[in-house]
Amino acid sequence: MISDLLGRPLRNLRLSVTDRCNLRCEYCMPEDDYKWLPREDLLHFEEISSLVDVFTASGVDRVRITGGEPLLRRDLPTLMAMVSSKPALKDLALTTNGILLADQIDALAAAGLRRITVSLDTLHADRFKALTRSDELARVHDGMQAARRVFPAGFKIDTVVIKGVNDDELADLIEYGRALGAEVRFIEYMDVGGATKWSPADVVSRADILATLSARYGAIAPIVEESSAPADRYQLRDGTVFGIISSTTQPFCGSCDRSRLTADGMWYQCLYATQGVDLRAALRGGVSVDDIGAMIRGSWSARTDRGAEDRLALGDRRAFVPVNSLKKDPHLEMHTRGG
Ligand code: SAM
């Protein structure tokens, strides 16, 4: 297992399979138009599979398929089967907005998908429409039901909490998750690339989330566990468990073992990194997989990124990347990098 300069192992890989999305969430893709990755640059499934082999040989044992909206990638179950057949992988998960999930979940599960996270920020149709600029809430509910059927032992629901938008729905979302056997995780609104409307005033902190929920449910107990997972988990008195991902106000860079591969093969070692490693150029330029492995290990060994902590240390905090820079380089976008 290789570690970076802060002792963090290379373990979790987020694999973005497309930069396209069928939602336009205000906190992620608020602009009217976007510059997309050129189609010919997208890694083919064989290329992704080769890179996954290189990563697993370098210590990665957990992969999460994401995007953009990963279910927009044609023939995703074929890729899922290729990745799930890797003996070194202990975990293979997917993050989706759920719109296309009911149609695809059986094929994905048959192809080896083991865990699923569905993103949902509001239960109100009018808010969903305003927040996502889409009318597809009913299909997300269908996707949730499908997730419950295929993963009866449970799945996750991720909710970005934004002040004045959905912070009055925290308990409703917990109840919604409970009815589905799903664990809800509340994500603090982050100033990642693409969140051009971000402002500190819109962030609902972990402390605020806990205060709201304990006013409704009474004492909340933190669950003490050793984990590099981004969410801290809590338990209500009736045993219901939920999580909080406090990347904005209490970042967890010290235990971050995640890196991200974009659909066109750029590898980023931090959600806030402005520079990546071009693995597509290496692969298509004929560099051997052994040498690509050496590139990956060399780069990780020198890693010092603590992007979220650096952001927190800023006194005057505003949107991370200005719109004109995003237009020049879509790799700076969260939806390209893979959330
Ligand atoms: N389309 C898939 C989905 O909706 O889950 C996967 C990609 S999406 C970028 C992954 C996650 O990032 C979603 O849960 C989304 O809500 C979250 N996200 C996007 N922008 C964010 C922001 N500014 N702050 C916090 N979370 C954000």
Side-chain angles (χ1 to χ4, degrees):
M1 166 111 27
I2 66 151
S3 293
D4 70 8
L5 287 175
L6 302 173
R8 300 168 296 184
L10 172 61
R11 182 172 288 151
N12 268 286
L13 181 66
R14 307 266 164 132
L15 206 58
S16 173
V17 292
T18 179
D19 57 331
R20 306 278 172 148
C21 193
N22 42 5
L23 294 181
R24 288 289 178 274
C25 298
E26 281 289 306
Y27 53 77
C28 187
M29 301 184 72
E31 308 305 322
D32 288 334
D33 50 75
Y34 282 92
K35 181 175 171 189
W36 306 108
L37 298 177
R39 245 169 222 291
E40 63 277 14
D41 286 356
L42 299 190
L43 296 180
H44 307 140
F45 287 173
E46 290 70 23
E47 292 174 318
I48 296 175
S49 176
S50 300
L51 287 177
V52 170
D53 285 334
V54 179
F55 276 104
T56 54
S58 302
V60 165
D61 61 6
R62 285 151 221 206
V63 167
R64 176 172 291 275
I65 293 182
T66 180
E69 172 47 40
L71 301 190
L72 290 176
R73 179 80 190 236
R74 196 177 305 152
D75 296 330
L76 187 63
T78 303
L79 177 67
M80 189 69 71
M82 290 164 84
V83 177
S84 74
S85 68
K86 315 278 180 204
L89 275 194
K90 292 198 187 119
D91 191 26
L92 179 56
L94 172 82
T95 297
T96 171
N97 61 31
I99 294 174
L100 300 170
L101 190 57
D103 301 335
Q104 297 193 27
I105 195 165
D106 291 303
L108 291 167
L113 174 64
R114 293 179 219 172
R115 289 195 308 123
I116 193 156
T117 301
V118 188
S119 302
L120 177 62
D121 306 314
T122 177
L123 300 170
H124 296 275
D126 54 340
R127 287 186 186 178
F128 185 88
K129 199 168 179 179
L131 192 62
T132 66
R133 290 186 274 164
S134 143
D135 223 351
E136 301 281 23
L137 180 59
R139 290 178 82 194
V140 178
H141 289 315
D142 292 346
M144 295 282 187
Q145 293 296 342
R148 174 198 194 165
R149 172 176 58 75
V150 174
F151 296 102
F155 63 101
K156 300 247 172 19
I157 296 176
D158 275 4
T159 299
V160 180
V161 186
I162 302 179
K163 195 160 282 175
V165 172
N166 62 348
D167 53 339
D168 58 346
E169 290 189 63
L170 306 184
D172 292 346
L173 284 156
I174 286 196
E175 297 302 321
Y176 177 81
R178 195 203 319 253
L180 289 165
E183 187 175 314
V184 177
R185 304 190 309 176
F186 298 110
I187 308 176
E188 290 181 354
Y189 185 10
M190 295 170 69
D191 55 347
V192 284
T196 49
K197 295 196 169 169
W198 187 91
S199 132
D202 297 332
V203 176
V204 182
S205 68
R206 177 216 302 245
D208 293 341
I209 292 170
L210 287 173
T212 301
L213 289 173
S214 57
R216 159 82 180 255
Y217 291 107
I220 293 174
I223 298 176
V224 180
E225 55 194 349
E226 269 293 306
S227 164
S228 68
D232 287 323
R233 296 166 81 227
Y234 298 87
Q235 194 159 32
L236 303 179
R237 280 202 290 233
D238 68 1
T240 304
V241 172
F242 67 95
I244 301 180
I245 301 178
S246 56
S247 322
T248 304
T249 69
Q250 294 180 53
F252 35 84
C253 303
S255 62
C256 178
D257 58 10
R258 278 173 296 286
S259 65
R260 296 175 154 81
L261 186 67
T262 63
D264 66 343
M266 290 293 292
W267 182 46
Y268 292 93
Q269 297 169 9
C270 178
L271 199 43
Y272 290 93
T274 49
Q275 301 294 325
V277 180
D278 190 348
L279 298 181
R280 181 188 79 252
L283 205 57
R284 294 190 180 168
V287 178
S288 72
V289 286
D290 285 349
D291 287 347
I292 294 177
M295 269 170 77
I296 288 172
R297 288 187 292 278
S299 183
W300 189 267
S301 309
R303 176 188 190 235
T304 54
D305 301 67
R306 305 186 75 118
E309 289 178 357
D310 291 344
R311 297 292 302 159
L312 182 61
L314 290 176
D316 180 21
R317 197 168 170 182
R318 55 189 76 184
F320 177 45
V321 186
V323 180
N324 55 347
S325 305
L326 293 170
K327 296 248 182 262
K328 279 187 213 132
D329 186 2
H331 292 99
L332 296 167
E333 299 267 8
M334 168 83 150
H335 71 265
T336 305
R337 201 159 283 198

